[in-house]
Amino acid sequence: MTLLAVERIKLLSTRSPWWCALTALLLTGGFTALVVSQSNAQFPATVSATQYAYNFGMAVIMVLAALAVTTEYRFGTIRTTFQAVPNRAAALAAKATVIALIALVIGEIMAFLSWGLATLIKPEADLALNSAADWINVAGVGPACALAAVVAMAVGILVRHSAGAISLVLIYFLAAENLVTLIPGIGADIFKWLPFNVLHKFVTGNGESAGGAAYGQPLSTSTLSQWWALAYFAAFAVVLLAIAIATARKRDA
Amino acid sequence: MIEAQSLTKRYGDKLAVDDLSFTVESGRVTGFLGPNGAGKSTTMRMMLGLDNPTSGTVTIGGKRYSELHHPLRTVGALLDARWVHPNRSARAHLSWMAKSNKISPKRVDEVLDIVGLSEVASKRAGGFSLGMSQRLGIAGALLGDPEVLLFDEPVNGLDPEGILWIRKFMQRLADEGRTVFVSSHLLSEMALTATDLVVIGKGKLISQSTTEEFVARATDSTVKVRSPHLDRLRPALDRVGATVTPTDDGLLVAGVAGEKIGELAMENQVTLHELAPQQGSLEQAFMQITGDSVEYHADLETEAAEQPAGHAAVTN
């Protein structure tokens, strides 16, 4: 508990998490407002449409997570941290926990803010959360962001440089994974199992939250069920974090 | 007590610290002296468990750093004053450190007061001057009221007031019975603060002794002689085994006392225009001793190391 408090003080006593949180909210809120206000009979406002921009918010949260650890390397405070807490595994695990919790909170606020905005803009649309798929599509954004933040933090520990870690995480998340589908023959099969594609499956499922409308978020090609998709991505995040922590323990700080 | 045994650190094919063994006694200020790049900082990082030794061990009070429970309460260290997040306030920086070792939050205000930063405690550390950052670093080192304190080049880049402050501060810490281990590349600085000296060069131990011993050994005194009859004096000096170095306007003589040179001059009917004892500066002496082990020579330093006496004549 002590270590969690330490990491909480560290994270919240700098400005970047606040700016990242604000950016994530403005980006997703603004995008949702835009999409929903343009909806019509052909492209109806659905629960799925309210979360159209969750990816962008998640990207910002991943930047926050990567920065939380790379700035420690950049400013040398990681050495002060390991000096105060020589058990590096415990210190970094605590950090991952705090970052995941903060990402969870920002993710939930982001998702429900978007959904709330949409219901205000289109009160006549059917945006009630009345199925499991609807609930996961909105409330699931939080856990998805939490796990994505752990992945970004693990990359941050491994790479140690802000610019390097952020570009690696963002390029992979926003571009590289989709580019895999372009590999002839096997591309689509590999893509099915790539982590962020699977995570998207957890959030959007088979499109039930889009109310059968063709218009909504592009769906994941993963064949896993929603909960297995979450478990798959969680395992990916934990393994990556374990590798990062093992590396940090061996390395000179 | 700090004890290093056969401490070795290799980066690639470069040996930064090479089979280094020394002990730091409790309750005294021990200087850790060596030219830049000698391996001082690497050694201190290994003491704190930040870098892993390639071989050998270093223990503090018989325990490895990683075995210490709440290490900030046993060992306080200031390795680099810039190891602070620039957008975090001084108080927040100390608060998380205190929290991590279950140190009372009251202690944060106490140490801020000790180093004189109370008024700027809630300002962002990025706006601090080097002297203020140094004070913040020292506040961090004092946080756990530790018995052992490590400082890496604490006076580097400070103005005279800051240097004086740090110097007095270290003496005060030793007076309180703490063990202070402080690195520097300036012997003159160490001569003023440290009672013991561990001297290293190129990662190897050069000497471990009291500061007095080291300084006495380091500053072989020389005598400067000016005379219109050097041609007669010089052979006489050579006969008594003096080391003679010609300078622009005379000779520098080592190995013979001034009185003896005067007597020799008298015997040989040599007129003396000057007979002046030269106290070699500590810096030159230090360079003489560590001369071969300076990692990165500037041309000037090379010259000085090769011709210490000649250099002495110029600077004195």
Side-chain angles (χ1 to χ4, degrees), chain B residues 97-146:
Chain B
M97 286 177 73
K99 188 84 189 173
S100 68
N101 277 241
K102 295 205 164 92
I103 296 163
S104 136
K106 259 188 278 169
R107 178 70 183 160
V108 170
D109 288 312
E110 267 173 46
V111 291
L112 280 167
D113 198 42
I114 293 173
V115 300
L117 286 180
S118 299
E119 282 176 21
V120 291
S122 17
K123 297 245 163 62
R124 46 185 290 270
F128 283 9
S129 68
L130 181 62
M132 288 159 85
S133 305
Q134 211 83 351
R135 282 165 190 247
L136 177 56
I138 289 177
L142 294 176
L143 201 56
D145 197 16

Side-chain angles (χ1 to χ4, degrees), chain B:
Chain B
M1 192 173 82
I2 306 172
E3 202 167 4
Q5 276 174 343
S6 311
L7 205 55
T8 303
K9 179 69 185 178
R10 181 185 285 280
Y11 294 111
D13 54 359
K14 189 174 169 290
L15 265 178
V17 175
D18 185 2
D19 196 24
L20 189 60
S21 301
F22 61 85
T23 50
V24 177
E25 297 296 331
S26 308
R28 325 174 57 130
V29 179
T30 301
F32 190 31
L33 196 63
N36 289 329
K40 301 188 295 293
S41 300
T42 307
T43 304
M44 290 181 118
R45 281 203 303 273
M46 288 192 283
M47 285 177 170
L48 295 173
L50 295 176
D51 284 11
N52 304 311
T54 308
S55 64
T57 54
V58 55
T59 55
I60 296 171
K63 281 184 182 173
R64 287 225 299 266
Y65 190 85
S66 58
E67 296 164 354
L68 296 172
H69 185 60
H70 291 321
L72 296 185
R73 296 189 188 180
T74 311
V75 186
L78 167 59
L79 292 201
D80 191 329
R82 289 162 307 174
W83 288 353
V84 178
H85 194 296
N87 286 331
R88 198 174 276 143
S89 71
R91 183 177 282 116
H93 175 73
L94 296 173
S95 295
W96 75 255
M97 286 177 73
K99 188 84 189 173
S100 68
N101 277 241
K102 295 205 164 92
I103 296 163
S104 136
K106 259 188 278 169
R107 178 70 183 160
V108 170
D109 288 312
E110 267 173 46
V111 291
L112 280 167
D113 198 42
I114 293 173
V115 300
L117 286 180
S118 299
E119 282 176 21
V120 291
S122 17
K123 297 245 163 62
R124 46 185 290 270
F128 283 9
S129 68
L130 181 62
M132 288 159 85
S133 305
Q134 211 83 351
R135 282 165 190 247
L136 177 56
I138 289 177
L142 294 176
L143 201 56
D145 197 16
E147 282 163 53
V148 180
L149 287 143
L150 307 181
F151 298 111
D152 193 10
E153 302 268 5
V155 300
N156 238 8
L158 289 188
D159 57 13
E161 195 199 342
I163 292 175
L164 194 66
W165 184 81
I166 297 240
R167 205 180 277 161
K168 284 188 174 162
F169 201 83
M170 285 193 294
Q171 271 150 3
R172 185 176 131 194
L173 291 172
D175 289 345
E176 289 168 5
R178 298 175 211 262
T179 307
V180 182
F181 188 57
V182 54
S183 82
S184 177
H185 61 280
L186 298 173
L187 176 57
S188 53
E189 182 58 40
M190 286 297 94
L192 290 168
T193 40
T195 41
D196 291 318
L197 279 184
V198 172
V199 186
I200 67 167
K202 271 192 186 161
K204 284 195 176 73
L205 186 73
I206 290 177
S207 90
Q208 168 159 30
S209 63
T210 64
T211 309
E212 264 177 26
E213 269 173 44
F214 185 80
V215 169
R217 191 149 54 82
T219 52
D220 250 352
S221 56
T222 57
V223 181
K224 185 180 178 186
V225 183
R226 280 200 303 130
S227 160
H229 309 123
L230 284 181
D231 48 336
R232 270 187 278 148
L233 182 60
R234 194 158 177 175
L237 288 170
D238 286 339
R239 276 196 295 280
V240 296
T243 315
V244 181
T245 319
T247 62
D248 295 344
D249 56 348
L251 295 176
L252 265 179
V253 184
V256 185
E259 294 85 344
K260 179 74 183 163
I261 299 171
E263 285 162 18
L264 279 174
M266 175 76 180
E267 284 166 21
N268 293 283
Q269 297 192 319
V270 170
T271 310
L272 289 182
H273 286 174
E274 185 178 352
L275 184 63
Q278 311 279 299
Q279 190 75 30
S281 83
L282 288 172
E283 257 51 56
Q284 285 149 16
F286 175 51
M287 278 203 283
Q288 238 173 300
I289 292 173
T290 62
D292 294 335
S293 48
V294 175
E295 182 74 14
Y296 304 104
H297 277 293
D299 281 348
L300 186 70
E301 282 176 352
T302 319
E303 275 169 33
E306 282 165 2
Q307 309 179 309
H311 190 68
V314 175
T315 49
N316 287 305

Side-chain angles (χ1 to χ4, degrees), chain A residues 176-194:
Chain A
E177 209 169 77
N178 281 310
L179 291 178
V180 170
T181 53
L182 298 180
I183 300 172
I186 52 166
D189 287 333
I190 298 175
F191 182 65
K192 273 181 199 166
W193 293 98
L194 289 183

